[in-house]
Every structure is written in structure tokens, then in C-alpha cells.
């Protein structure tokens, strides 16, 4: 086993949001994104302080949790941050070892290794803190055969809008404060054994007004990719600063969800009410000269506002939603990779100009 493999991770286990109203948030993810109901825990299962809804689409699992009382860490989190991501859970083979290896390397413990058992088997959970109030929970579920985790019951409502072709979490981006990027890059390198894939600086990612710096950290099998952004000095307030101001600190900025047919997926999402950022039409006039040899029809991409970028391995198609809550914080990326392993650097300028247009409408530029 190499030095970097002290923490083998087989994938993103689930992403848990703390929200103001989990019942309604679950309805949104069903209706707008086509997530399927899986499991529920709340008053009916013996919980007194919270309710959680578990939704799934292919490999993507979302958990929406709300507080049932004001005296609650969940309520505090929601009051401070608004609806946002609390847990990025990672599937591991050995949650006790994951906790030991990471806390020994300096991680702050969030949950000591804990065994949860029900009639469907046994799960071991442990957790550490990462940026802001966000945490990683290590999930060892090789001896569990239930619908989600012990304590949850199957949730089987009649209402089941169809899926939209979303397959897996491609990456989850964290926004951190001024001068904090390298601290968290070092955390993922030293505490979790990740390696740096790419870095962007303010020369790559700046428009007239906004600037940011970013480094992408990935685990050894590349299933976990965490870009970390920090604001850079620009003429006006950057989108990262806007996020940090409204989220009241560092947090998860966007989740990129992969599809095998981005035009079909985006067309359905638009029909279901998901709002996407729109780059200027002129973006498509130069597309053929910038990115040659793509399979997709440029007119279809133009109609759906889908962006394209190429790197040495291939190309990718991507599109970003507007924030999915009232605070301009969390949003989604829809991505289809056709060989490319990068993150769409060629689109940053057009994209950030589209974001700035939204910022100026909010009066936060
Ligand atoms: Fe992204």
C-alpha cells in the first residue's frame, strides 16, 4: 500500500443538506431533478429532533434533513447558513481505520467510530470536520443490506416523477475565505492523502470585475474530486465573496452531477423548472473554431445554453444552474465528459460574466 492509500475511498456515499423544510425540499428534488424516494426517518420512526428524506438517482444519494425543534444543532446550522450542505459522506471499507488515520494526521473529530445495527445488518460511521461547518462522514456499509442506514424506513410515496439521466457525483466544490485555499489543499493532501490535479489562478479566472483562485484535489482512484476556491482581488466583489457573505463562512459551492446525454438531461430539467445560467449567444458563434470535432449539434447546444471545453484528453459539456435557494449560495453543475478530465477552464470567462449579470441583479457585485 502506497503512502497515499491510507484512506481508500470507493465513492461519494451521500450528500446531506440541513434545510428549513425537508418535506418541501424533497418534493423539489423529486419534481425538478427526478430523484427517487428511498428512505425516511422522523417522528414516525422514533426520532424526536429531526426528519430526514433520502432520495436517489443512479449512484447519487441526497439526504434532506430538517430540525423539529429550535434547540438543535441542525436549526442553528440552518439559521446561520440557510439551506446548505452539512455532510459529504464517503464510502470506505473500514470506517474505524479512516477515522484513526485522518485524526492522527490532524483532522478534528466530528464523530468517533459508531456502530449502528438493525435487522438489515450493521453500519460503522465515523466523521471529521472539513472547511467551515461542513463535515465528512466515513460510511462502512459492507455488512448492511437495508434501504439506507439503520433507523431509516423505506419511503414509498405514490408520487414518483421520472429520472432525468443524472448518474453520479463528478465533483463537489468548496468555497473558502481569503488566503485559506492552501490551508485546505494541504488538509486534503496531508490528512486524507489526496493529490492536486490542477490549479487555476486569477490570470486564468478573472473577468473585468471578479477573480478567484482554485486548486483541485482528488483521491487516488479519482472518484472523489474536490476543487477548493478562494476569492482573488478584483475590481468588484467576486462570486466567492458573495457566497461567503451569504453562507456566513466557507461551505460547499456546487455539486457537479454527471449525465451521459447532457442535451436530453438539460431539456428535461428546464421543462421541470430548473433555472440555468445563460451565456451570451456570441459564445456559440466562435464555438466551432475554439472546440473542433464535437459530436453534438451546435444549434442544440445554443438552444440549451450548454458550454463546451476541450483538453488534451477529450472534451466536456457542462452547464450551471442558478442558486437553488434564496441565498445566492449552493448551485448545481450538469456535466458530460467525453474523455476530458478537466473542469472547463475555457468556459470560465463566459460563465463568470453570466454570474456577474445575476450578481448585478442582486445588487451584490
Ligand atoms: Fe464544477
Amino acid at each position: 500500500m502506497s503512502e497515499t492509500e491510507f484512506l481508500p475511498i470507493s465513492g461519494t456515499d451521500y450528500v446531506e443538506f440541513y434545510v428549513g423544510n425537508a418535506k418541501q425540499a424533497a418534493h423539489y428534488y423529486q419534481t425538478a431533478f427526478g430523484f427517487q424516494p428511498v428512505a425516511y426517518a422522523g417522528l414516525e420512526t422514533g426520532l424526536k429532533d429531526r426528519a430526514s428524506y433520502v432520495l436517489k438517482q443512479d449512484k447519487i444519494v441526497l439526504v434532506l434533513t430538517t430540525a423539529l425543534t429550535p434547540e438543535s444543532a441542525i436549526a442553528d446550522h440552518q439559521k446561520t447558513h440557510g439551506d446548505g450542505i452539512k455532510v459529504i459522506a464517503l464510502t470506505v471499507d473500514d470506517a474505524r481505520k479512516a477515522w484513526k488515520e485522518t485524526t492522527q494526521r490532524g483532522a478534528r473529530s466530528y464523530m468517533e467510530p459508531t456502530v449502528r445495527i438493525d435487522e438489515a445488518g450493521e453500519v460503522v460511521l465515523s466523521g471529521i470536520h472539513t472547511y467551515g461547518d461542513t463535515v465528512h462522514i466515513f460510511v462502512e456499509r459492507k455488512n448492511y443490506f437495508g434501504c439506507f442506514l439503520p433507523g431509516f424506513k423505506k419511503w414509498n410515496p405514490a408520487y414518483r416523477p421520472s429520472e432525468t439521466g443524472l448518474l453520479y457525483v463528478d465533483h463537489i466544490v468548496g468555497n473558502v475565505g481569503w488566503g485559506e485555499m492552501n490551508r485546505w489543499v494541504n488538509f486534503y493532501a496531508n490528512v486524507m492523502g489526496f493529490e492536486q490535479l490542477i490549479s487555476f489562478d486569477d490570470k486564468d479566472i478573472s473577468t473585468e470585475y471578479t477573480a478567484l483562485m482554485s486548486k483541485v484535489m482528488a483521491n487516488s482512484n479519482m472518484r472523489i474530486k474536490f476543487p477548493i476556491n478562494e476569492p482573488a482581488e478584483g475590481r468588484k466583489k467576486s462570486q466567492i465573496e458573495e457566497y461567503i457573505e451569504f453562507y456566513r463562512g466557507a461551505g460547499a459551492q456546487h455539486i457537479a452531477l454527471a449525465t451521459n446525454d447532457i442535451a436530453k438531461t438539460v431539456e428535461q430539467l428546464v421543462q421541470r423548472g430548473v433555472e440555468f445560467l445563460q451565456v451570451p449567444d456570441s459564445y456559440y458563434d466562435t464555438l466551432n473554431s475554439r472546440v473542433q470535432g464535437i459530436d453534438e449539434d451546435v444549434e442544440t447546444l445554443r438552444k440549451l445554453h450548454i458550454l463546451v471545453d476541450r483538453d488534451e484528453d477529450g472534451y466536456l459539456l457542462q452547464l450551471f444552474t442558478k442558486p437553488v435557494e434564496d441565498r445566492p449560495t449552493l448551485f448545481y453543475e450538469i456535466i458530460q465528459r467525453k474523455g476530458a478530465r478537466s473542469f472547463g477552464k475555457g468556459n470560465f470567462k463566459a460563465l463568470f460574466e453570466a454570474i456577474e449579470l445575476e450578481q448585478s441583479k442582486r445588487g451584490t457585485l
Side-chain angles (χ1 to χ4, degrees):
M1 189 183 284
S2 81
E3 262 291 295
T4 58
E5 284 170 342
F6 62 82
L7 181 61
I9 300 170
S10 52
T12 307
D13 199 274
Y14 64 88
V15 179
E16 182 170 14
F17 299 74
Y18 283 177
V19 299
N21 187 331
K23 189 179 188 115
Q24 290 189 3
H27 191 280
Y28 173 76
Y29 282 103
Q30 284 186 270
T31 305
F33 285 88
F35 282 88
Q36 301 299 305
V38 171
Y40 168 82
L43 292 172
E44 296 82 352
T45 66
L47 293 181
K48 299 288 183 232
D49 68 330
R50 68 178 70 192
S52 294
Y53 296 77
V54 183
L55 297 146
K56 189 169 185 190
Q57 188 162 180
D58 209 289
K59 291 190 174 63
I60 311 158
V61 178
L62 304 182
V63 182
L64 299 156
T65 294
T66 197
L68 299 178
T69 68
E71 307 82 15
S72 148
I74 299 162
D76 290 344
H77 194 279
Q78 205 272 331
K79 183 184 177 193
T80 303
H81 301 296
D83 289 5
I85 293 177
K86 175 64 183 179
V87 181
I88 300 169
L90 305 169
T91 314
V92 297
D93 202 48
D94 185 341
R96 293 180 182 87
K97 182 168 183 288
W99 185 84
K100 190 161 169 261
E101 296 281 358
T102 51
T103 54
Q104 272 177 358
R105 286 171 169 80
R108 191 157 60 91
S109 175
Y110 173 70
M111 181 198 292
E112 289 190 16
T114 306
V115 180
R116 300 233 176 113
I117 297 175
D118 69 8
E119 66 286 350
E122 159 185 319
V123 170
V124 187
L125 303 173
S126 64
I128 58 171
H129 289 267
T130 178
Y131 47 77
D133 284 333
T134 317
V135 301
H136 291 307
I137 290 186
F138 301 118
V139 183
E140 175 187 331
R141 54 167 71 256
K142 59 181 187 280
N143 298 315
Y144 193 68
F145 308 95
C147 59
F148 178 56
L149 290 174
F152 282 78
K153 66 167 190 179
K154 272 201 180 115
W155 174 35
N156 198 10
Y159 182 64
R160 283 175 180 268
S162 60
E163 298 192 345
T164 59
L166 299 171
L167 300 174
Y168 60 89
V169 173
D170 186 274
H171 58 274
I172 301 178
V173 179
N175 279 345
V176 301
W178 292 95
E180 293 273 286
M181 176 180 69
N182 284 331
R183 176 185 161 203
W184 292 104
V185 163
N186 291 335
F187 169 87
Y188 282 107
N190 300 334
V191 170
M192 296 185 65
F194 285 24
E195 286 186 45
Q196 187 179 324
L197 283 186
I198 312 175
S199 85
F200 310 103
D201 63 21
D202 49 349
K203 285 166 216 66
D204 297 316
I205 316 180
S206 70
T207 61
E208 187 183 356
Y209 294 134
T210 193
L212 66 85
M213 295 193 286
S214 187
K215 288 182 178 173
V216 181
M217 302 304 290
N219 78 325
S220 58
N221 63 17
M222 303 282 285
R223 290 187 193 165
I224 308 298
K225 295 188 280 293
F226 291 149
I228 306 291
N229 294 336
E230 76 170 44
E233 206 67 60
R235 270 181 56 197
K236 292 200 177 179
K237 188 184 289 178
S238 81
Q239 47 167 311
I240 312 302
E241 283 176 274
E242 185 197 39
Y243 174 101
I244 286 167
E245 190 172 305
F246 279 92
Y247 199 72
R248 295 296 170 98
Q253 179 211 37
H254 75 265
I255 307 179
L257 302 176
T259 170
N260 280 338
D261 186 345
I262 195 165
K264 201 169 159 197
T265 294
V266 168
E267 197 155 26
Q268 290 178 53
L269 294 175
V270 169
Q271 275 171 14
R272 290 158 173 242
V274 177
E275 296 178 309
F276 288 97
L277 288 173
Q278 299 190 355
V279 295
D281 217 39
S282 57
Y283 174 91
Y284 297 93
D285 300 337
T286 56
L287 188 63
N288 275 328
S289 59
R290 205 167 54 76
V291 188
Q292 277 149 19
I294 60 171
D295 305 330
E296 291 73 14
D297 168 37
V298 174
E299 286 316 304
T300 304
L301 302 180
R302 185 197 294 264
K303 190 183 91 194
L304 296 168
H305 306 281
I306 293 167
L307 311 176
V308 192
D309 195 28
R310 185 177 273 293
D311 65 19
E312 58 279 15
D313 301 309
Y315 70 98
L316 63 81
L317 304 116
Q318 63 186 168
L319 188 55
F320 297 82
T321 72
K322 293 182 182 179
V324 293
E325 58 286 291
D326 290 298
R327 297 194 201 188
T329 54
L330 181 84
F331 60 88
Y332 287 86
E333 172 181 351
I334 309 299
I335 185 166
Q336 181 177 5
R337 293 187 181 277
K338 293 196 145 181
R341 296 193 292 175
S342 54
F343 294 83
K345 178 175 152 182
N347 290 323
F348 287 167
K349 192 170 187 327
L351 190 65
F352 292 168
E353 284 170 356
I355 292 175
E356 283 167 20
L357 191 64
E358 298 297 316
Q359 277 185 275
S360 73
K361 288 183 204 161
R362 294 192 283 262
T364 61
L365 189 60

